[in-house]
Amino acid sequence: MPRITAGRFGGRRLRAPRGRGTRPTASRIREAWFSALGDSIDGARVVDLFAGSGALGLEALSRGAQHAHFVESNRRAAAAIRENIRRLDVKDRATVVVRDVFAFIGAPGHRAGHFDIALADPPYASDAAARLVARFQAEPFAELLCVEHASGLTNLGEGVVWTRTYGDAQLTFLESDSFHPPREP
């Protein structure tokens, strides 16, 4: 069961959707992720793509993000996210969207400037991470994209700020032209 690692809700447990379809981001990876983001999370408009339990977006809210959108295509996972939002009492700072991530980011209004930070943990067994990065590079939907993917994904192209490996997982941060990069962890 995932847990918020720091901030206002630090230590609080989150409900995860049942089944094997969701793989929550490990706590140590989330800690590294948010350590790299540092103060840039304060007041940020965040989108949690492939949200699963919502752990990334809820961690962002716990650490001071202004608002988080949670995009998840699985209805059971979306129900878990709604329950976590209710339990943390952040309904006024959260929006759950039950939709395919690529349809969501392709919709009018989801271009750079709409979101400050996009957090994404797509399924490792798919090509979603590479497709997401390619879409971001063609039409940025946030100022910064932070994506977790299986280690070994290379040749991500332009805009890579940094990549770090944590066992079989890798974190990659990419920026659009208008963003000031996070500090090196």
Side-chain angles (χ1 to χ4, degrees), residues 67-177:
H67 191 89
H69 272 74
F70 299 85
V71 182
E72 174 58 56
S73 61
N74 181 293
R75 291 196 182 281
R76 287 192 357 202
I81 295 167
R82 285 188 187 97
E83 175 63 16
N84 290 329
I85 289 168
R86 186 195 63 74
R87 290 170 61 194
L88 296 176
D89 194 25
V90 293
K91 286 174 29 175
D92 59 328
R93 298 173 49 211
T95 304
V96 178
V97 178
V98 181
R99 191 169 184 192
D100 173 77
V101 165
F102 294 99
F104 175 81
I105 62 177
H110 298 146
R111 302 290 182 262
H114 188 75
F115 298 109
D116 299 307
I117 301 169
L119 306 169
D121 184 5
Y124 281 15
S126 73
D127 66 346
R131 289 177 47 218
L132 190 65
V133 166
R135 177 74 70 89
F136 177 79
Q137 290 166 333
E139 288 186 72
F141 45 85
E143 293 182 13
L144 178 70
L145 171 62
C146 314
V147 61
E148 179 181 343
H149 53 86
S151 59
L153 183 62
T154 57
N155 300 324
L156 294 176
E158 300 290 320
V160 174
V161 177
W162 62 262
T163 297
R164 297 288 181 275
T165 303
Y166 302 89
D168 67 345
Q170 220 167 11
L171 290 180
T172 299
F173 282 35
L174 298 102
E175 64 182 359
S176 69
D177 292 339

Side-chain angles (χ1 to χ4, degrees), residues 18-37:
R18 295 180 190 261
R20 294 187 191 187
T22 302
R23 173 198 37 79
T25 301
S27 294
R28 71 183 179 101
I29 295 173
R30 258 187 291 122
E31 287 176 31
W33 211 330
F34 284 92
S35 175
L37 286 169

